[in-house]
Each structure stands twice: as structure tokens, then as C-alpha cells.
Amino acid sequence: MTKDTIQKYTMRISSANKSDIIVCVYEIAEIYLEDAIKCHETEDVEGFKNSCIKASRCINDLYTALDFDYELAIPLMKIYLFMDKELNLASVKGDVNTVTRIQAMITKLKLAFEEIAKSDTSGSVMGNVEKVYSGLTYGKNRLNENVSLDTNRGFTV
């Protein structure tokens, strides 16, 4: 995952509600699984293991975010535990086929949560975060990117 991608997700998560954060975690897990597949193709064993571990951390985050007040949480918990176990075995064995299967499962679950997120009208989870406005303006023979930060944060004396 590149620094630009990390910044993009940091910005998204800072203004996201609960459902949007879950979708972001799914997307990040997909990126790490894709990185693992690329590392396997280039025979980068250490990169493959690291990408699998990072994807496993995302799955663990999804597991800890489950709300067991809903009956759907139990089947999701079983799926997450299965994916985590298989991913850990795949990282040790270097099995890219298992990684591909888990990636397909993550993609299907992400699509379902994207539909849920469309109907979630709750507010942002994080409070007191900077609002960032970004845009392009025309300069002489080039485009200029402008980023504006909200400077009215924290305590004032």
C-alpha cells in the first residue's frame, strides 16, 4: 500500500460513519491481499507474508467490530475466524490460491456492506477532526492544487 493510498483512507475514515469505516477496512484488506498476490508472483516471500499478516489484521478488526446484539454477527464471526485461520496458514505455506479465495470472499462481503452503508444516515464517528478542502485552480500553463485546512480546532485562550 502506497503512502498516497494510506492518506486517502485516513481522510475517508476521519469523516466516515460506522458503516463506511467497515467498508474502508474491507477495501484495505483487499489491497493487502492484492499486494500478497503480487509479491507471490515476484517471489517476494517476505512481502507475501507481511501482506497476509496485514490483511489478517484487517479481518481481526472486522471481527472486533461485530455487534452481537444482532443475530447476523454469529455467522459473520465464523466467516472471519475461518478467513483468519486460512490466511495465516496460507502465509506460512506460501499458498496463493487460498489468498485468492479469501480475496473473493472479502469482495463479496464488501459489496454487501456497501449496500448497507448507503442506507446508514448516522453521523461521523470521529469528532473534532480537521476539515480538509481540496481543489484545482488554473495557473499559467499548469493546474495548481489547493488544500485548505480548518484552523479552528482545539482550545483557544
Side-chain angles (χ1 to χ4, degrees):
M1 183 179 292
T2 64
K3 287 185 179 184
D4 290 337
T5 308
I6 292 170
Q7 283 182 333
K8 179 182 97 171
Y9 281 107
T10 302
M11 296 289 291
R12 276 183 60 191
I13 289 171
S14 69
S15 63
N17 60 22
K18 291 178 184 179
S19 300
D20 291 332
I21 290 174
I22 297 297
V23 172
C24 286
V25 173
Y26 276 117
E27 290 175 2
I28 292 168
E30 280 182 320
I31 291 170
Y32 284 133
L33 292 171
E34 186 62 37
D35 289 347
I37 293 169
K38 288 177 185 174
C39 287
H40 187 270
E41 290 171 356
T42 61
E43 299 179 4
D44 179 8
V45 177
E46 199 61 36
F48 178 80
K49 286 181 182 180
N50 288 335
S51 295
C52 287
I53 289 169
K54 289 177 182 177
S56 178
R57 288 181 186 156
C58 290
I59 293 169
N60 286 327
D61 287 342
L62 292 168
Y63 172 79
T64 57
L66 288 173
D67 184 356
F68 289 98
D69 291 337
Y70 299 99
E71 61 186 67
L72 184 61
I74 300 296
L76 278 173
M77 177 192 72
K78 291 178 182 179
I79 291 169
Y80 294 152
L81 290 174
F82 171 78
M83 287 191 300
D84 186 47
K85 182 184 86 169
E86 290 294 309
L87 194 55
N88 287 325
L89 287 173
S91 70
V92 171
K93 293 180 180 179
D95 183 13
V96 73
N97 294 328
T98 301
V99 173
T100 305
R101 281 197 335 260
I102 291 171
Q103 185 182 33
M105 293 171 70
I106 289 284
T107 300
K108 288 178 183 177
L109 288 168
K110 180 191 74 161
L111 292 173
F113 273 93
E114 283 176 340
E115 290 299 315
I116 293 169
K118 288 178 185 176
S119 63
D120 187 356
T121 58
S122 62
S124 175
V125 173
M126 299 178 87
N128 197 25
V129 294
E130 291 183 22
K131 292 182 181 177
V132 178
Y133 302 98
S134 178
L136 295 175
T137 59
Y138 292 102
K140 188 171 185 175
N141 298 326
R142 64 188 169 113
L143 288 173
N144 298 322
E145 182 178 10
N146 293 324
V147 177
S148 175
L149 298 173
D150 184 9
T151 58
N152 189 10
R153 293 188 71 220
F155 297 104
T156 56
V157 180

